[in-house]
Amino acid sequence: MSETMQAVVSHGPHDYRLEEVPVPTPGPGEALVRVEAVGICASDLKCYHGATKFWGDASRPAWAETEVIPGHEFVGEIVQLDDAAAARWKVGVGDRVTSEQIVPCWKCRYCQRGQYWMCAPHDIYGFKRRTPGAMAQYMIFPADALVHKISKDLPPAHAAFVEPLSCALHAVERGGIRFDDVVVVAGCGPIGLGMIAGAAAKFPARIIALDLSDTKLELAKLCGADVTVNISRQDPTQIVRDLTEGYGADVYFEGTGHPSAVLQGLNLLRKLGTFVEYGVFKDDVTVDWSIISDDKELDVRGAHLGPHCWPAAVRMLESGRLPMDRICTHQLPLADFQAGLDLVGDGTTSIKVSLLP
């Protein structure tokens, strides 16, 4: 193995560079992993453009530090680890593995209460120097990481989809779907398609998918949507009311990150309905909060990361029930990372874009 590797390194907004850097050396209890695929997330793109409004503090600097290798949705093969790591994670050299995107401290209040996905230091791969990401030929899994095996029968880009799928499944769990519910999913990108698949596994009465793209709506049907609505041509609120005797939807999942989708969801939910927010917003969102309180008494729930959903996401991918060949639209070499970011930014020709180091 060479002593150096290629990696994408963030030097600030609009300044990501392909560089030759040392191959990292695993410490006690850690693993060295050869990266097979890394997906480009919308949050990667927002970070690339210099976003500062993430995770609750608009006054702080950009949440991604500089001199960091990005990439938090990935799969790879273990090439080196010690006995302690092998015993803790029940893995060995040659296994294909993924790691949950957050590396918990296991010491803060949230970790001590089992709420590790809200860990106070919040070290997510690819955003801090302590946890370099996967846009590289090799990466380290720290000793505190959460690691899962995944089948080698899956193409690398499909296996790396386990991260956004786990996030989508967590959002579905937050929705508390019941068998007779009418469920609406706004946005049929990677997260929205995963929400539809997860919601379908709950077997509600009807799943309605909303998007501006007919291509994405076709994929939504393949993932389990019963009704699709192109909101550029149809009124989703009226359609939902017509399908629910005028009451409205029981559960609404917001996966677009667009402010208009928030008011849309508040309007098409029934009284006592549930609103689940997963999207990350670039702009402020302003709504009439009396809709939430005095008008409908809604349950509004956030969803963050994919806690406790990774094994289910692995099983769903391995089952073959998702149209992964059509979801994973673009696989590019690491050197073409800029083209990958541009594809995600355009949003009209791709669903999931991955780099294959």
Side-chain angles (χ1 to χ4, degrees):
M1 186 173 67
S2 172
E3 294 181 355
T4 62
M5 66 177 184
Q6 287 193 322
V8 177
V9 181
S10 168
H11 293 275
H14 303 283
D15 188 10
Y16 284 24
R17 308 173 198 169
L18 185 68
E19 299 180 358
E20 198 77 15
V21 302
V23 173
T25 302
E30 298 183 336
L32 178 66
V33 175
R34 179 181 63 80
V35 179
E36 295 182 66
V38 52
I40 300 178
C41 176
S43 63
D44 291 319
L45 184 70
K46 290 172 183 176
C47 175
Y48 173 77
H49 287 301
T52 59
K53 280 183 56 184
F54 284 90
W55 296 338
D57 188 351
S59 65
R60 69 186 182 186
W63 56 292
E65 299 171 351
T66 57
E67 315 300 321
V68 173
I69 299 170
H72 61 277
E73 44 182 79
F74 50 80
V75 67
E77 180 182 359
I78 295 176
V79 296
Q80 183 182 338
L81 81 170
D82 60 18
D83 291 342
R88 184 188 320 109
W89 296 323
K90 297 180 175 60
V91 297
V93 170
D95 283 344
R96 174 184 269 183
V97 289
T98 186
S99 176
E100 297 195 24
Q101 65 282 84
I102 191 167
V103 180
C105 72
W106 302 115
K107 298 175 183 177
C108 70
R109 175 184 298 177
Y110 301 107
C111 287
Q112 290 291 314
R113 292 177 176 177
Q115 301 159 332
Y116 69 88
W117 66 100
M118 286 295 167
C119 174
H122 225 77
D123 291 338
I124 291 182
Y125 290 107
F127 297 116
K128 295 186 180 181
R129 297 186 188 99
R130 290 192 297 267
T131 48
M135 291 188 190
Q137 292 175 293
Y138 295 90
M139 68 182 298
I140 293 292
F141 286 4
D144 288 331
L146 293 157
V147 176
H148 306 276
K149 286 198 284 189
I150 190 165
S151 171
K152 290 186 177 183
D153 293 334
L154 295 172
H158 296 192
F161 194 73
V162 65
E163 193 275 347
L165 183 55
S166 72
C167 294
L169 296 184
H170 174 53
V172 168
E173 288 198 331
R174 293 284 286 159
I177 296 171
R178 294 171 297 185
F179 292 130
D180 59 349
D181 281 347
V182 171
V183 176
V184 176
V185 177
C188 297
I191 294 293
L193 293 172
M195 289 174 176
I196 291 166
K202 298 286 187 177
F203 210 69
R206 186 175 283 122
I207 299 170
I208 303 169
L210 313 180
D211 204 279
L212 293 164
S213 165
D214 289 333
T215 299
K216 292 179 180 179
L217 290 170
E218 289 176 11
L219 278 176
K221 287 184 178 180
L222 295 176
C223 290
D226 302 295
V227 178
T228 59
V229 180
N230 188 315
I231 62 172
S232 68
R233 301 191 300 267
Q234 301 166 284
D235 179 0
T237 301
Q238 189 59 51
I239 289 173
V240 170
R241 286 176 178 166
D242 289 345
L243 291 171
T244 57
E245 300 179 331
Y247 286 99
D250 300 283
V251 185
Y252 179 85
F253 294 99
E254 199 294 297
T256 71
H258 194 282
S260 65
V262 177
L263 184 57
Q264 171 183 264
L266 297 178
N267 285 334
L268 61 75
L269 277 170
R270 65 166 172 81
K271 294 178 181 180
L272 302 175
T274 299
F275 187 116
V276 179
E277 179 56 59
Y278 198 93
V280 178
F281 296 94
K282 178 174 69 71
D283 302 311
D284 290 339
V285 180
T286 301
V287 297
D288 178 2
W289 274 62
S290 60
I291 300 173
I292 299 168
S293 56
D294 190 54
D295 188 6
K296 293 186 177 181
E297 194 177 320
L298 300 177
D299 284 337
V300 178
R301 301 177 182 179
H304 178 57
L305 306 185
H308 309 298
C309 292
W310 286 70
V314 169
R315 292 195 303 271
M316 187 173 286
L317 287 173
E318 292 177 347
S319 74
R321 66 182 297 169
L322 294 177
M324 293 305 302
D325 285 332
R326 296 183 60 178
I327 292 173
C328 294
T329 53
H330 294 77
Q331 294 89 52
L332 307 174
L334 192 65
D336 290 346
F337 71 90
Q338 186 63 58
L341 288 166
D342 293 343
L343 277 167
V344 176
D346 174 77
T348 61
T349 58
S350 68
I351 306 292
K352 172 50 65 179
V353 179
S354 301
L355 303 175
L356 305 181

